[in-house]
């Protein structure tokens, strides 16, 4: 999974740096027990450090402002549990930026849930009935489940595809068989492709019948040149890594205080909330929700 994240972020050629950063993050976090999901958080931070050319000294420096990935904030807040000896105090204070941390098992303070009311609200949100399994997934992982439900609604049940096809696509002249129902299979062969700037036209056979489809390249429409945040300009807030803007919390003219959220950026299930580095007025917002950006693309301009 970490390798797939590195590929998506364009860091595959820097895997050796990512591996070293993983060890550095493990030390910074206090050599925590690494199981899912704590190992993912360590990986998120390692990828974040390499994407932003951060050293362990940068992370520990209390005077260097860093918008930590949301998974790291949740870890140090105690959402995943509390280590026996606690978190490194100085780093926890830097990550949480004054927000309170939990002092007990997170599940202990969870409010009771009206299951039927929750089921009804979730079904209304997606326009489909939920099974008990879907409801449990939605309650435990609301954002991940919402993304999954929207993906299934748009593309269908892609779990029927072979894993390598889902992650890497098909090679020319490759043939796969997809079981769509009991006793029903689709035989798909990719014959060739014609490349364009923003899309590809794919020529394929479906059970021996020739077909063609044009597919937009992921992020191509949003990848055209965007202004870059100028290095050293504290008023220009750039993207710390490539990803998709999942939420815009401000608009031009808003007054923000240091630490207020400006933009939420998501890449391969790793969410980063970009906060205001100082008290300021929002002068310009250059992105909207759903837009794909590259690293260092200009997101927000602040004024006095």
């Amino acid at each position: 999974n970490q390798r797939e994240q590195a590929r998506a972020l364009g860091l595959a050629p820097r895997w050796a740096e990512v591996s070293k950063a993983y060890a550095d993050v493990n030390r910074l976090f206090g050599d925590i027990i690494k199981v899912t999901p704590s190992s993912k958080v360590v990986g998120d931070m390692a990828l974040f450090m390499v994407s932003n050319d951060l050293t362990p000294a940068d992370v520990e420096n209390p005077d260097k402002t860093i918008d930590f990935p949301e998974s790291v904030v949740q870890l140090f807040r105690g959402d995943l549990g509390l280590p026996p000896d606690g978190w490194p105090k100085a780093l926890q204070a830097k990550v949480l930026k004054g927000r309170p941390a939990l002092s007990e098992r997170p599940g202990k303070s969870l409010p009771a849930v009206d299951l039927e009311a929750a089921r009804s609200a979730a079904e209304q949100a997606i326009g489909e009935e939920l099974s008990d399994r879907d409801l449990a997934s939605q309650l435990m992982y609301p954002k991940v489940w919402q993304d999954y439900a929207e993906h299934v609604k748009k593309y269908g049940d892609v779990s029927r595809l072979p894993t390598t096809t889902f992650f890497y696509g098909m090679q020319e002249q490759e043939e796969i068989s997809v079981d769509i129902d009991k006793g029903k299979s689709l035989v798909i062969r990719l014959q060739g492709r014609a490349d364009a700037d923003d899309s590809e036209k794919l020529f394929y056979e479906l059970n021996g019948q020739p077909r063609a489809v044009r597919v937009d390249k992921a992020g191509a429409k949003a990848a055209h040149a965007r202004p870059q945040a100028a290095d050293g300009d504290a008023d220009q807030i750039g993207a710390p890594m490539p990803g998709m803007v999942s939420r815009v919390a401000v608009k031009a003219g808003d007054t923000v205080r240091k630490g207020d959220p400006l933009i939420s950026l998501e890449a391969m299930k790793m969410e980063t909330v970009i906060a205001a580095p100082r008290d300021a007025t929002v002068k310009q917002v250059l992105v909207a929700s759903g837009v794909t950006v590259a690293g260092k693309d200009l997101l927000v301009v602040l004024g006095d």
Side-chain angles (χ1 to χ4, degrees), residues 4 21 25 35 44 81 83 98 114 119 121 148 157 162 181 227 233 235 249 275 281:
E4 290 304 323
V25 173
V35 295
D44 285 351
D114 184 330
R119 186 194 302 272
Y148 165 77
D157 183 8
D181 206 343
D233 189 336
D235 290 336
T281 299

Side-chain angles (χ1 to χ4, degrees), residues 106-114:
K108 189 175 180 180
S109 58
L110 282 176
V113 175
D114 184 330

Side-chain angles (χ1 to χ4, degrees), residues 7-288:
R7 283 168 58 90
L9 295 172
L11 297 177
R14 302 175 65 183
W15 184 250
E17 294 177 61
V18 174
S19 298
K20 182 180 181 303
Y22 194 100
D24 290 336
V25 173
N26 178 57
R27 180 187 61 78
L28 288 168
F29 285 8
D31 194 17
I32 59 173
I33 297 172
K34 284 166 290 300
V35 295
T36 304
S38 60
S39 60
K40 178 187 180 301
V41 181
V42 174
D44 285 351
M45 187 62 192
L47 293 170
F48 181 82
M49 287 176 64
V50 176
S51 295
N52 292 277
D53 296 318
L54 295 172
T55 66
D58 292 329
V59 175
E60 292 180 308
N61 182 356
D63 297 323
K64 185 174 180 63
T65 300
I66 295 176
D67 291 310
F68 289 91
E70 186 61 20
S71 62
V72 176
V73 177
Q74 292 171 345
L75 181 75
F76 276 83
R77 189 168 55 210
D79 291 5
L80 276 61
L82 305 172
D85 298 324
W87 301 106
K89 295 298 183 184
L91 184 57
Q92 184 181 37
K94 181 173 181 177
V95 170
L96 295 184
K97 299 177 181 177
R99 286 169 287 191
L102 295 176
S103 58
E104 59 185 10
R105 181 176 61 84
K108 189 175 180 180
S109 58
L110 282 176
V113 175
D114 184 330
L115 295 179
E116 291 312 309
R119 186 194 302 272
S120 177
E123 288 177 345
Q124 186 174 4
I126 67 166
E128 294 182 10
E129 291 186 1
L130 266 68
S131 67
D132 290 344
R133 181 177 180 177
D134 287 338
L135 178 61
S137 298
Q138 192 273 337
L139 290 171
M140 290 186 289
Y141 310 105
K143 189 175 188 310
V144 173
W145 183 85
Q146 180 71 27
D147 291 344
Y148 165 77
E150 291 175 357
H151 191 277
V152 171
K153 195 171 184 179
K154 184 175 182 179
Y155 298 107
D157 183 8
V158 296
S159 67
R160 299 176 183 273
L161 292 172
T163 300
T164 53
T165 301
F166 176 79
F167 279 117
Y168 306 112
M170 295 177 64
Q171 303 299 313
E172 291 189 20
Q173 301 306 315
E174 181 183 357
E175 183 176 285
I176 63 172
S177 178
V178 181
D179 297 328
I180 59 173
D181 206 343
K182 188 174 182 179
K184 294 182 180 180
S185 299
L186 296 177
V187 178
I188 305 169
R189 175 184 287 273
L190 180 61
Q191 299 284 26
R193 65 184 76 210
D195 196 22
D197 289 341
D198 293 339
S199 64
E200 279 188 317
K201 190 170 185 180
L202 304 178
F203 303 91
Y204 65 101
E205 288 183 359
L206 184 64
N207 287 347
Q209 300 297 314
R211 304 285 180 88
V213 64
R214 187 176 296 278
V215 180
D216 290 337
K217 293 179 181 177
K221 292 181 179 179
H224 297 300
R226 291 182 175 277
Q228 299 276 293
D231 290 337
D233 189 336
D235 290 336
Q236 296 193 9
I237 310 300
M241 64 180 67
M244 186 187 74
V245 176
S246 57
R247 184 171 73 99
V248 178
V250 294
K251 63 182 182 300
D254 284 355
T255 299
V256 294
R257 300 189 67 82
K258 182 178 180 179
D260 285 351
L262 302 174
I263 301 283
S264 291
L265 193 65
E266 186 175 298
M268 286 294 290
K269 299 181 183 179
M270 178 171 65
E271 184 176 11
T272 301
V273 178
I274 302 169
R278 59 180 177 83
D279 296 352
T281 299
V282 177
K283 188 175 180 181
Q284 188 178 10
V285 178
L286 290 88
V287 293

